[in-house]
Amino acid sequence: MAGIVASVLYLPFVVTASVLGALAAIFIAGRWVRVAQREHYVPGSVSRMAWLWLRREPGSGPATAVVIVAIAVAVLVPIPALQALPLPAIVLLGLLPFGLGFRGTSKPLAVTSRVKRLLVVWIVLHLAVGVALTLLLGPAGPALTLLLSAPLTDLALAIMSPIEKSASQRYVAAAKKRLAQVRPTVVAITGSYGKTSTKNYVAHLLSATFTTVASPASFNNRLGLARSVNDKLVPGTEMFVAEMGMDAPGQIAELCEHFPPDIAAITVIGEGHLQRMRTTDAILQEKSTITDRARTVVLPIDDARLAALAASDRMNGKRVVTVSCVPGTDADVVLSPASGDAGATIVLGRGGEPVPVTIASTGHAVNVAVASGIALAAGVPGAVIASRLGALPGSQHRAEVQQSPSGALVIDDTYNANPVGSLRALESAAALAAERGGPLVVVTPGMVELGPVQAERNHAFGAAIGAVGARLFAVARTNRAALLAGYASTATAEALGADAVRSREHAVAEAVTVAGERGVILYENDLPDHYP
């Protein structure tokens, strides 16, 4: 009752705050809904990104503190003159976090039907909370509502999640019907890293023997795979190769329910999902569910955890094809990468003889080994597998090598965002720079979604860059401190130095200048502009 009375007494401030709040909400809605879209509409992701911006973008944290103080004073000190404090706070909230645009540049907000439905729920939630808080707190109510906008957006996502899933079920049902009609052998691939590359290798190896369709790009969730089946699967298709990803526990099992695999494979268990899964044991448990429905399983047993899974699956009556990249391992497929003067060899089948092979420069050993194991399991002759390894297709923005007009070589590895792959790309780039006799330049924002180890892994990557004497351009602010600190910890007097830059575009011109005609520029990972 006291709050309602205060609202009446401070009516001019309440009206002004409500009008300003409605105007500020236009920008705030665009900002957080765009973040939600870029984060695949996962509840909780908007609050996580908001917290990241407050910690990383200078000025945003202090400005938010000012807003909180203004709201608190207006609520706790019932003096009429102080009821004006929420008004500038609302204006400030319309600008926060500083640097996060509501339109976007790297990938603007796409006003889809899903976005429109989300906006309706967003508006209803903010109106309901805003009215309630205004009645309780007076002019501070609209300001507090906008301050809580990120978690309210996550609440809207949580409300809409089951609704969206139900609405899209018809596409999944159509895909299941198409699969039942065409009846291809379904190959399912998951892993922390290397899913897309391995999928492309598998499609290449299978296509010499079977009519093959693979899910395009990174279409690896429920709707992405449904669209792949509905758009691409035609009568006569013998193999469907499906990449399966996850954002939360239970998603791999759900994908396998809709698209049951005949052959299932895991590339590697790593740290790529720690942001949401928190531990590698949880990641292993989730990824392992891909083998539950499959009759045939392909696993790289150089990882003891996957070796244990292979033994368990074998005991459960599954056909298990094991692969290894360690010469002499007792496995069905043993790929020995080239080393020194010795060329690469592959053993296809237990007791087989090593066959000399040429591995395409785009091929990473474990991905090639898993792909070869899948092809062998599917019935592709060993001689065909070996002969096609030299022409493995590359994946866009994954270690693509191009020559710039200045003469420098550019390695586009912007879709690679894991610690192992980043270090491998750096090693290859350093070797190439040494071969060309030119400097190495690394342009990177570091790696994300690594949860509790993110700072440590980016520090280690910065240190590795410093150790090879490269020039580092640390892009944006998300991992800047860790990258620069790591670089400084190992850089020698011969190192080319490190700089902080706002975006990759700001680094390009200087990177080309530093690299000169004989240098190498490595673009390692890239982040969309909803990251600070």
Side-chain angles (χ1 to χ4, degrees), residues 192 246-252 270-287 449-452:
S192 296
M246 68 172 195
D247 289 312
Q251 290 185 345
I252 295 294
E271 298 171 337
H273 303 91
L274 283 178
Q275 182 69 55
R276 297 184 176 97
M277 302 297 290
R278 309 311 296 175
T279 69
T280 53
D281 286 342
I283 295 170
L284 172 65
Q285 182 177 357
E286 171 65 15
K287 295 293 188 182
E449 297 190 350
L450 297 178

Side-chain angles (χ1 to χ4, degrees), residues 15-391:
V15 172
T16 304
S18 298
V19 172
L20 283 176
L23 294 174
I26 297 172
F27 298 95
I28 293 171
R31 187 176 293 125
W32 293 133
V33 169
R34 184 171 77 89
V35 170
Q37 186 177 70
R38 295 296 290 133
E39 291 292 300
H40 311 292
Y41 303 100
V42 176
S45 60
V46 175
S47 295
R48 178 175 62 83
M49 292 302 300
W51 178 238
L52 181 62
W53 275 89
L54 291 182
R55 287 184 293 130
R56 292 289 189 266
E57 186 65 27
S60 291
T64 302
V66 169
V67 169
I68 293 172
V69 170
I71 294 172
V73 170
V75 171
L76 299 175
V77 185
I79 299 174
L82 294 179
Q83 299 310 302
L85 286 176
L87 304 184
I90 290 172
V91 175
L92 196 54
L93 283 167
L95 302 174
L96 287 172
F98 299 133
L100 177 59
F102 74 97
R103 294 185 62 184
T105 53
S106 61
K107 192 166 186 181
L109 173 66
V111 185
T112 62
S113 297
R114 181 169 189 172
V115 163
K116 292 176 183 177
R117 292 190 291 268
L118 177 61
L119 278 171
V120 170
V121 177
W122 192 97
I123 292 168
V124 170
L125 277 176
H126 281 70
L127 279 175
V129 173
V131 169
L133 289 178
T134 300
L135 289 174
L136 287 171
L137 306 176
L144 183 55
T145 302
L146 296 180
L147 181 65
L148 298 174
S149 189
L152 285 175
T153 305
D154 282 323
L155 178 57
L157 289 172
I159 291 171
M160 290 302 298
S161 181
I163 298 172
E164 293 292 346
K165 188 171 184 178
S166 177
S168 64
Q169 187 58 35
R170 67 181 186 274
Y171 302 111
V172 178
K176 292 172 73 172
K177 183 178 180 181
R178 178 71 60 85
L179 274 175
Q181 291 171 339
V182 179
R183 301 184 67 180
T185 296
V186 177
V187 177
I189 302 167
T190 193
S192 296
Y193 321 125
K195 296 184 294 294
T196 302
S197 296
T198 303
K199 174 194 67 183
N200 292 339
Y201 300 163
V202 169
H204 171 73
L205 295 176
L206 294 179
S207 62
T209 308
F210 304 103
T211 304
T212 303
V213 168
S215 56
S218 293
F219 281 36
N220 60 18
N221 59 14
R222 189 175 67 102
L223 287 181
L225 289 177
R227 181 177 175 182
S228 301
V229 171
N230 291 330
D231 290 353
K232 291 182 172 293
L233 216 61
V234 296
T237 301
E238 296 172 287
M239 294 282 177
F240 175 58
V241 187
E243 175 185 340
M244 292 187 173
M246 68 172 195
D247 289 312
Q251 290 185 345
I252 295 294
E254 182 187 15
L255 290 175
C256 290
E257 179 183 349
H258 296 312
F259 313 98
D262 299 292
I263 302 173
I266 299 174
T267 57
V268 66
I269 299 298
E271 298 171 337
H273 303 91
L274 283 178
Q275 182 69 55
R276 297 184 176 97
M277 302 297 290
R278 309 311 296 175
T279 69
T280 53
D281 286 342
I283 295 170
L284 172 65
Q285 182 177 357
E286 171 65 15
K287 295 293 188 182
S288 297
T289 60
I290 199 170
T291 70
D292 291 347
R293 292 172 175 262
R295 297 189 300 270
T296 300
V297 176
V298 180
L299 295 169
I301 59 171
D302 296 335
D303 184 330
R305 298 166 298 181
L306 294 179
L309 177 62
S312 174
D313 283 342
R314 190 176 286 111
M315 288 180 61
N316 289 329
K318 298 181 184 296
R319 176 192 177 198
V320 178
V321 176
T322 56
V323 307
S324 171
C325 296
V326 178
T329 301
D330 182 20
D332 297 290
V333 174
V334 181
L335 176 66
S336 302
S339 177
D341 295 331
T345 63
I346 193 168
V347 177
L348 294 162
R350 290 180 183 270
E353 293 295 322
V355 177
V357 289
T358 300
I359 307 294
S361 60
T362 57
H364 296 316
V366 67
N367 300 340
V368 175
V370 170
S372 299
I374 292 171
L376 188 68
V380 178
V384 174
I385 296 172
S387 68
R388 292 180 68 82
L389 293 179

